Amino acid sequence: MSTERPRLHGYWRSTAAYRIRIALNLKKVRYENVPVDLVRDGGVQHTDAFRALNPAGLVPALEIDGHVLTQSLAICEYLEETRPEPPLLPHLASERVLARTIALDVACEIHPLNNLRVQQYLKGRLNADDAAAREWMHHWMAAGFGAIETRLEAWGRGGDTCLGGAPGVADIFIVGQAYNADRFGFSLQPYPRVERVVRACGALPAFADAVPEAQPDAPAND
Amino acid sequence: MSTERPRLHGYWRSTAAYRIRIALNLKKVRYENVPVDLVRDGGVQHTDAFRALNPAGLVPALEIDGHVLTQSLAICEYLEETRPEPPLLPHLASERVLARTIALDVACEIHPLNNLRVQQYLKGRLNADDAAAREWMHHWMAAGFGAIETRLEAWGRGGDTCLGGAPGVADIFIVGQAYNADRFGFSLQPYPRVERVVRACGALPAFADAVPEAQPDAPAND
């Protein structure tokens, strides 16, 4: 492993970048924050300079150990394999799969349908108004959080983290998405197990230090 | 591990179920196919019986080793951890992250935006006509496959699989998505590295036996 400090190319409000900030904090990896403004001038993520880091034009991109890594769950798995302590995944295969399922419930079923570029497409090309775009967002959050709540109920851990014990990838992905829910007026009240994880994990320093509003590129009075 | 044969709840045309068929074939795990008709009577995936397996109401769900697993990438990781040979992921962390990145490029950036329920929402609630729904689909496939092609070019392996050597998760996810591209008239010609992987891996028995049209629930003359 390189001794150079990792550089996280992210955006304060990106929930995918938020996940990596939490993961790096939990692993106690000190990193440099490199803001990528997704809004200004049509989006810095679309520039050739950024696409050289990630051709998908999406944040986060993490420069670490001489590599440029993208896709937040892949980055978490890499951190887990190269810096095992503290673990972000349980020990048993039968538990690891549950943790990854929750992370993918967020990463595949909620986030891709709600992110900035999809909102732009809905409004710009399908003439969706603000109400329709918001309804779309809430629809997929309800489906996704509903499934997660039912899973947590079925697993019966009933704790401050999805799988009991220390926080890991499942909790990281839920907390990130909960920020977006709050931002777009989607209440988590019908999902008490999700809400408990968000509240409990959100209070931990590794999570609190990663919140969007605490980032250097967050506007002072947003 | 249980000696009972795993049961794969899937649908012939679901590319997520297709991925698991390929993975099980590569791992030489014999399984029972349990068709879940996503179309008939508004979709069997929405029934209480199916939601007891997967509250997200999505295929695949895999009954294996006494567990019910969902989310296709989580299932692949579980298979890898419980049945390591032949591997679906490279050995080195710096390579594993690349394989997972491609899988997630498909699972997060293309598939969620193009699947059945999203098409139903676009047409049923946003009044998109067939042409607009198709344009939407092509838009996200172009973005996703474009990014993957650029990654493969940058990594410079130039082979029949994304990372060189035997096929793994990156190839599995690409081949599944390529089926959908073909189905919806999206040409992969602008993505020669992707096309090569699809052609080369698609010819292998583990992939060929998993194609939608070879499944028991595929209509005879589709």
Side-chain angles (χ1 to χ4, degrees):
Chain A
M1 290 190 298
S2 161
T3 53
E4 218 169 303
R5 186 176 292 193
R7 290 160 55 90
L8 175 62
H9 301 261
Y11 178 62
W12 65 289
R13 249 182 177 169
S14 156
T15 63
Y18 185 7
R19 298 168 193 158
I20 301 307
R21 292 196 297 265
I22 301 170
L24 290 167
N25 288 348
L26 285 170
K27 294 283 190 189
K28 300 195 192 310
V29 175
R30 295 188 64 186
Y31 65 93
E32 184 187 339
N33 222 318
V34 187
V36 179
D37 195 323
L38 302 189
V39 179
R40 183 171 50 85
D41 299 336
V44 172
Q45 73 276 23
H46 301 308
T47 59
D48 289 347
F50 184 77
R51 284 191 182 269
L53 291 172
N54 184 8
L58 298 168
V59 293
L62 180 67
E63 293 186 77
I64 189 168
D65 303 338
H67 314 294
V68 184
L69 309 183
T70 62
Q71 285 293 0
S72 62
L73 185 56
I75 295 174
C76 288
E77 298 271 3
Y78 176 86
L79 292 174
E80 187 73 357
E81 290 173 355
T82 57
R83 292 148 175 90
E85 295 300 330
L88 299 182
L89 285 169
H91 179 65
L92 291 174
S94 58
E95 292 283 296
R96 295 162 75 83
V97 66
L98 301 183
R100 289 182 176 119
T101 295
I102 297 285
L104 289 163
D105 282 338
V106 172
C108 299
E109 318 306 344
I110 306 178
H111 181 252
L113 291 154
N114 286 358
N115 67 8
L116 177 65
R117 62 183 188 171
V118 170
Q119 289 287 307
Q120 288 169 337
Y121 193 110
L122 289 173
K123 292 180 182 176
R125 298 176 63 169
L126 292 175
N127 300 316
D129 59 18
D130 281 348
R134 196 185 182 85
E135 195 179 317
W136 160 282
M137 227 172 193
H138 284 209
H139 176 84
W140 303 114
M141 283 201 266
F145 280 122
I148 292 171
E149 180 73 15
T150 306
R151 294 196 204 283
L152 296 183
E153 186 179 1
W155 300 345
R157 314 297 161 95
D160 288 345
T161 59
C162 289
L163 290 163
V169 291
D171 312 296
I172 290 171
F173 277 62
I174 283 182
V175 167
Q177 192 60 46
Y179 172 82
N180 233 21
D182 184 57
R183 180 180 165 200
F184 291 97
F186 179 84
S187 170
L188 291 179
Q189 227 182 319
Y191 318 102
R193 290 167 187 83
V194 170
E195 226 182 7
R196 177 168 170 180
V197 167
V198 171
R199 203 167 43 236
C201 291
L204 303 172
F207 287 73
D209 291 349
V211 296
E213 283 72 17
Q215 303 315 303
D217 54 330
N221 294 308
D222 193 276
Chain B
M1 290 189 298
S2 161
T3 54
E4 219 170 299
R5 186 176 292 193
R7 290 160 56 88
L8 176 62
H9 301 260
Y11 178 61
W12 65 289
R13 249 182 178 169
S14 155
T15 64
Y18 185 8
R19 297 169 193 158
I20 301 306
R21 294 195 297 266
I22 302 170
L24 290 168
N25 288 348
L26 285 170
K27 293 285 190 188
K28 299 194 192 311
V29 175
R30 295 188 63 188
Y31 65 94
E32 185 187 337
N33 222 319
V34 186
V36 179
D37 194 323
L38 301 189
V39 179
R40 182 170 51 84
D41 299 336
V44 172
Q45 72 278 21
H46 301 307
T47 61
D48 289 347
F50 184 76
R51 284 192 182 270
L53 291 172
N54 184 8
L58 298 169
V59 293
L62 180 67
E63 293 186 75
I64 189 167
D65 304 338
H67 313 295
V68 183
L69 310 183
T70 62
Q71 284 294 0
S72 61
L73 185 56
I75 295 174
C76 288
E77 299 271 3
Y78 176 85
L79 292 174
E80 186 74 355
E81 290 173 356
T82 57
R83 293 149 175 88
E85 296 298 330
L88 300 181
L89 285 169
H91 179 65
L92 291 174
S94 57
E95 292 283 295
R96 295 163 74 84
V97 66
L98 302 184
R100 290 183 176 118
T101 295
I102 297 286
L104 290 163
D105 281 339
V106 172
C108 299
E109 318 306 343
I110 306 179
H111 181 252
L113 291 154
N114 286 358
N115 68 7
L116 178 66
R117 62 183 187 171
V118 170
Q119 289 287 305
Q120 288 169 338
Y121 194 110
L122 290 173
K123 291 179 182 177
R125 297 175 65 168
L126 291 175
N127 301 316
D129 59 18
D130 282 348
R134 195 186 184 84
E135 195 179 318
W136 162 281
M137 226 172 195
H138 284 210
H139 177 83
W140 303 114
M141 284 201 265
F145 280 123
I148 292 171
E149 179 73 15
T150 306
R151 293 195 204 283
L152 296 182
E153 185 179 1
W155 300 345
R157 314 298 160 97
D160 287 345
T161 58
C162 290
L163 291 164
V169 292
D171 312 295
I172 290 171
F173 277 62
I174 283 182
V175 166
Q177 192 59 48
Y179 171 82
N180 234 21
D182 185 56
R183 179 181 167 200
F184 291 97
F186 180 84
S187 170
L188 291 179
Q189 227 182 321
Y191 318 101
R193 290 167 187 82
V194 170
E195 226 181 8
R196 177 169 171 181
V197 167
V198 171
R199 204 167 40 236
C201 291
L204 302 172
F207 287 73
D209 292 349
V211 295
E213 283 72 15
Q215 303 315 303
D217 54 329
N221 294 308
D222 194 275

